[in-house]
């Protein structure tokens, strides 16, 4: 978490209310919050023994998750984000997937809870194979064996794909569609569009390491050209057409401007 104390409070209420017959601990990994998160968590932990608060100076989500992995005491590590709402049976259903031999990780369904408008965005995983860390369970020994997340990934982008690629070398990541996390929609803005452009150099890293752009269904032998085409043409054009079909002028304008912003921000990197 970082500077989302109100969203974090709602998420933790859902996590602590899980219908789960066994013991579990909740580790909150704070990546340098300055909004009172520390005081809220320290006071809460006095009355909730399952809650543990961990803090580090801001180093990014990969480093924050590694902080939790290092301090976890259970054999399974289940991850979510500070702005999600897990279903009451989420934890039990993810843990049940590890009864099958050869499973090193399990991913659950991520949904915005309702259809997205053109001026909204949210992480979505409706069919598996996306490995979003807002709904992912891993064996702790497997995480330790591969060295956890690569902390050189500075943003919440493709560090999960890189982790999954290394986990899959040692076993299976299974799909658990009834382990559901709701990720409420966020307003789409020009600022969030510019932030998203920072992610392109990091999808290039996955292509150079594994031969595909983020996920195996996007193989490429020419990662630089594929990234340029996607960043400058394919994805902005798709967003533009979608916004125009729905009559949303502001998202259409952002999509039309996105290739020019990508030329200045993402392509040089």
């Amino acid at each position: 978490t970082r500077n989302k104390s109100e969203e974090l409070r709602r998420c933790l209420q859902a996590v602590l209310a899980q219908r789960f017959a066994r013991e579990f601990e909740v580790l909150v990994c704070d990546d340098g919050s300055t909004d009172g998160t520390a005081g809220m968590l320290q006071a809460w932990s006095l009355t909730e023994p399952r809650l543990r608060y961990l803090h580090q100076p801001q180093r990014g989500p990969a480093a924050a998750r590694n902080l939790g992995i290092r301090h976890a005491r259970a054999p399974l590590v289940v991850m979510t984000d500070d702005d999600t709402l897990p279903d009451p049976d989420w934890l039990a259903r993810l843990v049940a997937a590890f009864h099958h031999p050869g499973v090193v990780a399990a991913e659950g369904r991520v949904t915005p809870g309702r259809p997205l408008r053109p001026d909204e965005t949210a992480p979505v995983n409706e069919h598996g194979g996306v490995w979003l860390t807002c709904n992912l369970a891993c064996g702790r020994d497997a995480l330790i064996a591969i060295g956890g997340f690569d902390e050189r990934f500075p943003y919440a982008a493709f560090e999960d794909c890189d982790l999954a690629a290394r986990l899959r070398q040692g076993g299976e990541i299974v799909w658990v569609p009834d382990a559901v996390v709701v990720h409420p929609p966020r307003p789409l803005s020009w600022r969030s569009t510019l932030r998203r452009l920072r992610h392109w150099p990091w999808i290039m890293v996955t292509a150079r390491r594994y031969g595909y752009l983020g996920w195996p269904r996007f193989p490429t032998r020419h990662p630089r050209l594929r990234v340029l085409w996607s960043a400058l043409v394919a994805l902005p054009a798709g967003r533009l057409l979608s916004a125009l079909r729905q009559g949303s002028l502001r998202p259409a304008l952002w999509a039309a401007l996105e290739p020019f912003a990508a030329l200045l921000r993402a392509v040089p990197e």
Side-chain angles (χ1 to χ4, degrees):
T1 188
R2 185 169 192 274
N3 287 341
K4 289 185 181 177
S5 58
E6 286 309 308
E7 293 97 328
L8 175 63
R9 183 190 298 275
R10 291 191 291 269
C11 174
L12 288 175
Q13 287 169 343
V15 171
L16 291 166
Q18 289 294 298
R19 293 192 286 250
F20 189 64
R22 297 157 65 185
E23 292 184 3
F24 67 96
E25 60 178 356
V26 182
L27 285 73
V28 180
C29 305
D30 186 351
D31 190 37
S33 291
T34 57
D35 67 343
T37 292
M40 179 187 79
L41 267 295
Q42 287 163 355
W44 199 345
S45 64
L46 294 176
T47 57
E48 175 49 79
R50 294 175 294 178
L51 197 58
R52 295 172 61 198
Y53 174 67
L54 307 173
H55 179 271
Q56 66 178 19
Q58 186 182 3
R59 294 173 54 203
R65 292 189 180 105
N66 282 344
L67 176 68
I69 292 166
R70 287 195 301 272
H71 286 82
R73 295 181 290 214
L76 295 181
V77 176
V78 182
M79 307 178 204
T80 195
D81 291 349
D82 53 11
D83 51 357
T84 66
L85 296 170
D87 276 6
D89 295 312
W90 163 71
L91 182 58
R93 287 170 175 163
L94 280 179
V95 170
F98 288 84
H99 295 159
H100 303 286
V103 172
V104 295
E107 60 172 332
R109 178 171 167 246
V110 180
T111 174
R114 59 171 174 78
L116 289 173
R117 300 193 303 264
D119 60 347
E120 293 179 324
T121 184
V124 176
N125 183 9
E126 294 285 0
H127 305 291
V130 184
W131 314 310
L132 295 176
T133 40
C134 61
N135 194 352
L136 187 69
C138 306
R140 185 175 182 273
D141 287 346
L143 289 170
I144 296 297
I146 65 170
F149 288 88
D150 185 342
E151 297 184 9
R152 290 171 290 185
F153 283 77
Y155 311 120
F158 302 108
E159 84 291 353
D160 45 9
C161 295
D162 179 79
L163 181 86
R166 289 179 285 123
L167 282 171
R168 291 170 68 230
Q169 295 170 6
E172 184 182 5
I173 300 178
V174 295
W175 170 235
V176 188
D178 57 355
V180 181
V181 159
V182 174
H183 209 304
R186 315 167 195 161
L188 184 64
S189 64
W190 182 239
R191 182 179 180 184
S192 66
T193 300
L194 291 176
R195 279 202 305 265
R196 184 174 61 228
L197 293 177
R198 303 180 305 186
H199 302 166
W200 282 111
W202 299 96
I203 197 172
M204 176 90 77
V205 171
T206 68
R208 286 183 166 271
R209 287 180 176 178
Y210 310 114
Y212 53 79
L213 291 179
W215 303 276
R217 64 181 180 273
F218 301 119
T220 179
R221 289 186 294 175
H222 306 287
R224 204 174 262 123
L225 291 176
R226 185 74 178 270
V227 165
L228 288 170
W229 171 258
S230 298
L232 299 178
V233 180
L235 290 183
R239 282 190 275 269
L240 176 61
L241 291 173
S242 175
L244 289 174
R245 278 196 297 266
Q246 300 186 48
S248 300
L249 295 182
R250 189 168 60 174
L253 175 62
W254 292 333
L257 294 174
E258 187 174 338
F260 302 99
L263 275 172
L264 296 175
R265 188 177 189 118
V267 172
E269 292 185 30

